[in-house]
Amino acid sequence: MVAIIKTGHSIHRIFNYNENKVSENAAVLIGAENYPLDVEKLSQKTKLSILERQLALNTNVSRNSVHISLNFDPSESNLKKEQLVGIANQYMQGIGFAEQPYLIYQHHDAGHPHIHIVSIKVKANGKRIDMNNIGRNHSETTRKAIEKEFNLVRAEDQKKRQYTVKLVNPEVVHYGKVQSKRAIQNVLDYVVGNYRYASLPELNAILRQFNVQAERGAEDSRTFQRNGLLYRIIDKHQNPIGVPVKASSFYSKPTLQYLANRYAENDKKRQPFKQRVKNAIDLSLKQRKISLQELSTVLQKQGIIVCQRLSNEGQLYGITYIDHTTKCVFNGSVLGKAYSAKGMQERCFVQKISEQDLLTIPSHPAQKETGLPLLQTAEAAIAEVTIATAKPEGANMLESFGKDILESLLQPANATDYVPGQFKKNKKKRKKRNKPNSNQ
């Protein structure tokens, strides 16, 4: 059993994450400890209000929420509800949370059985629970005792075992089939925190694969002037459909400021994976000169999507690469001049855009991004990644298992390289030294 503990600033975010999984039939609430009513009689409002009421006893605790994931080996998929609740209760007792109100959710959205536990760090007397070194001092000891009592596969053995963690992805959004806000939220949950992007255009390159787009609005709009951000559904030609939704209205709060805070960290994390994309492009073009369309098809088999940005006249002016294997996004110029729009036009055959294709280019400010059809690229590339990882090597097991579990937990994450002024670092001006007067 692998145990992961996360703390956060918002009980709403963690609670809503799990409740949304329940509404999507991807999870079920199986336990509510230290609550006044049985699970079946608890309304959504009651579940949350119990936690909020106890948190109000000590508002000085900033990281007040606790999100725990207990993950089991795929061979243990036959664990019964009663066993899972018993494991959760014994674990919470072992780490000192036995008297806290907590909710237990069984999730069905991954390739391994696992449960999520939602709780708080404020006791009934208003005191804060100290969680420093809780993993080393309490969690590890409790985990090993539970593994022995319930005859579970040890965490150490899970790391050595060769098996595939199922890749769970959101569906491409189709307007009218699912409630718009919920459909967009599903995509944001998967993309914002899992992919490494360093600008709004790069984020949009991924979102558009799922028929979702982030936009700031016109420069003279109230949203733009207040550094707001909107998310909306688009059709297969990237034309907007329906009413946009404010970023602040989503429980994960993927606002412009939140994204800007992620850019530097994401850029640092994606650096080791730049060479993989460059090598894939170079090898594809080594033998012969091919069209950009052919290159897109070749790279897609390696889980890499080529997004071309076209003007209203059909001219290629930008290119972005999405690597679904490493979950990294790179604007062409970030990889180097040879991989930019101009560089790729020189290295590949340029295909003329037909009049029929020109008609599909939207007239709204966000220009057409093309390659293979959007639905085809997103689903096919992710399918390629799943096939490619079907037989992981033992050496990669720890990274594959641990990374997917961590990414399955709630995260605390677009067309020009724009960063609002208040997020830019002020450059220090150099003081000019007075030169000595040669006449003196």
Side-chain angles (χ1 to χ4, degrees), residues 92-104:
M92 295 299 276
Q93 182 175 0
I95 65 172
F97 275 73
E99 303 302 320
Q100 294 297 99
Y102 58 90
L103 301 167
I104 309 167

Side-chain angles (χ1 to χ4, degrees), residues 279-319:
N279 288 345
I281 296 170
D282 293 342
L283 288 172
S284 300
L285 298 173
K286 187 176 181 180
Q287 299 297 328
R288 63 188 181 91
K289 196 172 185 178
I290 59 177
S291 69
L292 199 51
Q293 184 72 22
E294 288 178 277
L295 178 64
S296 298
T297 305
V298 172
L299 293 179
Q300 181 188 304
K301 294 178 180 179
Q302 300 177 57
I304 300 172
I305 297 299
V306 180
C307 296
Q308 305 173 48
R309 293 193 293 281
L310 305 176
S311 67
N312 288 334
E313 292 73 36
Q315 295 294 320
L316 177 68
Y317 71 90
I319 194 165

Side-chain angles (χ1 to χ4, degrees), residues 6-11 14 33-35 48-67 92 95-102 118-131 134:
K6 293 275 189 177
T7 60
H9 298 281
S10 172
I11 188 62
I14 296 173
E33 301 302 318
N34 299 313
Y35 272 76
L48 182 59
S49 64
I50 295 293
L51 300 171
E52 288 180 318
R53 218 175 298 164
Q54 192 154 317
L55 282 177
L57 298 175
N58 190 342
T59 56
N60 293 323
V61 182
S62 57
R63 298 190 70 86
N64 53 22
S65 56
V66 181
H67 196 188
M92 295 299 276
I95 65 172
F97 275 73
E99 303 302 320
Q100 294 297 99
Y102 58 90
V118 176
S119 190
I120 51 177
K121 289 171 62 176
V122 177
K123 294 182 179 180
N125 60 6
K127 292 185 177 180
R128 178 181 70 89
I129 296 178
D130 185 8
M131 295 187 66
I134 193 171

